[in-house]
Amino acid sequence: MTYSFDGFDRCSNRGFVPSLPSRLGAKVCIAALLVLAIAGCASPERSAPVPTADVVNAMPLGIENARFYPGEQHDEILAEFRRAADRQRQALGLGPDAMLPPAQLLAISGGGDNGAFGSGVLVGWTAAGNRPEFELVTGVSTGAILSPFAFLGPTYDTQLRDVYTTVNADDLYIERGFIDAIYNDALSDTTPLWELISKYVDEAMMQAIAAEYEKGRLLLIASTNLDAQRPTIWNVGAIAASGHPEAIDLVRKVLRASSAVPGVFQPVLIDVEVNGTKYQELHVDGGAIAQIFLYPPNLNPEDIAHENRTAYLILNAREDSTWTDVDVRTLSIAGQAISTMIHYSGVNDVMRIYYMSKEEGIDFNLAYIGHDFATVEDGDFDQAYMQALYDYSYQQALNGYPWKKIPPVLSGAGTAEGD
């Protein structure tokens, strides 16, 4: 999980992997101004947040390895990977010191409705007949929604396709009136998204994730602990395998939180406990900190003992910057400036993963939306747009996806698609 925890996905005009559709990106800027305007006004109630000294010690459902803070818990993350390697050896009937077969790793970025791109890549890959089983799957924002289906493999392809080709904005959120938004927790009510997540994340899916976790495979999803200003990596397989009666509710909350664009979509309160005292953490979109993560740095081969590793990065947006005729008004200027910063933060994320991969001998493969996709979106979560994007990436994968071996910026692509 190379941790590229730079801010991104805010006020984007479809630059590098925005977590938001274009119009929602502008709403983030409006939401930020509203926050400043109404500071000190009454807000929705919540339980006490975790005191700063106890942040790392707080446990959801009492599950010690349910989640990790990468800055403070690097050793714990490495220990989880070692335990996964031991489970994989046992599942394969290997000795305790045996080398493991080659590992396939998958990281899926944010991108809002551009998640249809990743959906098409994965389902088309299945149809091509050479989609691997991934030892590790990670997801952020819309990538978090994609990741359980990607983790469980082709038997979930129908659901993976439907989530990104049969829904529209009304299936995800309800826009609030101006006054309601001011005194509430976001511009939109995401109860429809919660219901959609709950439809797909059922007991059968939880049992399937738990079974794969026991074989040594890992499913990791990122959110942002807003109280603590920390990236949070959720160990979904461990939660599913815990057997806790509230595990399914926690996984659903994690998925909702990872997609909770601050100020636009509702944040998610997650119950935790420290030394018998109950608290609540406020979690939002993982994209507030990281666009994409793949692998912990400094993870030596002996820690996981795989003969070699191949990494696939699916970026649900265009790699190139987007030219815009900026309206000379405050919000337009601010939005485009933030979009530009976000674009290059995202470029840095991919570059960091690329150079880490070279250093550690990981085979690097990158997918993103190319210049040859020209369909224009008509509003947020436009079903016709998402279907067209799904068809575009599906056909590419069906015919053997042209994975990029280096980031386009290094190939001299600039504002054009690189090979």
Side-chain angles (χ1 to χ4, degrees), residues 383-405:
Q383 195 172 113
Y385 171 86
M386 290 190 289
Q387 181 68 62
L389 184 54
Y390 172 89
D391 292 341
Y392 162 81
S393 57
Y394 176 90
Q395 290 299 323
Q396 285 191 317
L398 179 63
N399 295 308
Y401 191 85
W403 295 96
K404 310 303 179 184
K405 305 304 291 186

Side-chain angles (χ1 to χ4, degrees), residues 262-273:
V264 177
F265 292 162
Q266 290 173 293
V268 176
L269 289 167
I270 294 180
D271 296 324
V272 296
E273 187 172 316

Side-chain angles (χ1 to χ4, degrees), residues 87-412:
R87 293 195 302 273
Q88 189 174 0
R89 290 189 186 94
Q90 185 175 6
L92 294 173
L94 301 175
D97 298 319
M99 289 293 291
L100 289 166
Q104 312 296 316
L105 318 173
L106 176 67
I108 314 175
S109 81
D113 50 12
N114 277 338
F117 173 77
S119 176
V121 168
L122 289 163
V123 179
W125 204 348
T126 297
N130 58 352
R131 175 177 160 186
E133 179 179 87
F134 302 103
E135 279 68 35
L136 169 69
V137 177
T138 71
V140 178
S141 197
T142 201
I145 302 298
L146 283 159
S147 63
F149 305 111
F151 181 74
L152 293 175
T155 56
Y156 278 79
D157 277 1
T158 299
Q159 296 93 316
L160 178 59
R161 179 199 64 210
D162 289 350
V163 167
Y164 285 93
T165 60
T166 64
V167 302
N168 56 38
D170 291 339
D171 298 310
L172 302 175
Y173 61 89
I174 303 167
E175 290 192 4
R176 289 170 168 157
F178 181 78
I179 299 300
D180 188 23
I182 286 177
Y183 292 101
N184 222 307
D185 54 4
L187 296 176
S188 304
D189 175 351
T190 53
T191 298
L193 175 60
W194 171 258
E195 293 171 348
L196 184 69
I197 291 171
S198 299
K199 171 185 174 182
Y200 289 104
V201 181
D202 55 13
E203 289 293 348
M205 174 178 273
M206 291 288 287
Q207 291 173 15
I209 292 173
E212 296 306 312
Y213 176 78
E214 296 298 342
K215 296 176 185 177
R217 299 177 62 217
L218 294 175
L219 171 59
L220 306 178
I221 289 174
S223 70
T224 300
N225 182 331
L226 204 57
D227 296 314
Q229 293 186 313
R230 282 174 169 84
T232 308
I233 307 301
W234 294 91
N235 192 4
V236 176
I239 298 170
S242 70
H244 196 287
E246 297 177 32
I248 189 170
D249 186 64
L250 177 58
V251 170
R252 289 167 176 171
K253 285 183 177 179
V254 168
L255 291 173
R256 188 182 187 182
S258 186
S259 306
V261 181
V264 177
F265 292 162
Q266 290 173 293
V268 176
L269 289 167
I270 294 180
D271 296 324
V272 296
E273 187 172 316
V274 181
N275 298 324
T277 302
K278 298 182 183 299
Y279 300 98
Q280 281 188 321
E281 297 174 344
L282 190 68
H283 283 260
V284 297
D285 193 341
I289 293 177
Q291 172 172 283
I292 188 168
F293 68 103
L294 173 66
Y295 220 75
N298 304 317
L299 184 63
N300 296 318
E302 57 265 26
D303 289 318
I304 54 172
H306 284 280
E307 292 180 358
N308 55 64
R309 292 164 283 173
T310 301
Y312 298 94
L313 279 65
I314 296 179
L315 300 179
N316 293 303
R318 302 179 188 273
E319 171 84 3
D320 59 297
S321 56
T322 303
W323 187 92
T324 304
D325 183 3
V326 181
D327 189 15
V328 188
R329 296 186 182 183
T330 301
L331 287 180
S332 295
I333 293 170
Q336 184 68 358
I338 293 171
S339 178
T340 301
M341 290 187 287
I342 289 165
H343 171 81
Y344 286 100
S345 291
V347 170
N348 290 337
D349 286 346
V350 173
M351 292 289 288
R352 202 170 290 121
I353 294 174
Y354 171 72
Y355 282 117
M356 180 277 299
S357 297
K358 285 177 62 70
E359 182 178 343
E360 298 192 10
I362 299 173
D363 182 14
F364 177 90
N365 298 271
L366 174 66
Y368 55 86
I369 303 170
H371 279 273
D372 53 335
F373 180 72
T375 301
V376 177
E377 185 175 19
D378 182 17
D380 301 331
F381 295 97
D382 172 20
Q383 195 172 113
Y385 171 86
M386 290 190 289
Q387 181 68 62
L389 184 54
Y390 172 89
D391 292 341
Y392 162 81
S393 57
Y394 176 90
Q395 290 299 323
Q396 285 191 317
L398 179 63
N399 295 308
Y401 191 85
W403 295 96
K404 310 303 179 184
K405 305 304 291 186
I406 62 174
V409 67
L410 292 182
S411 70

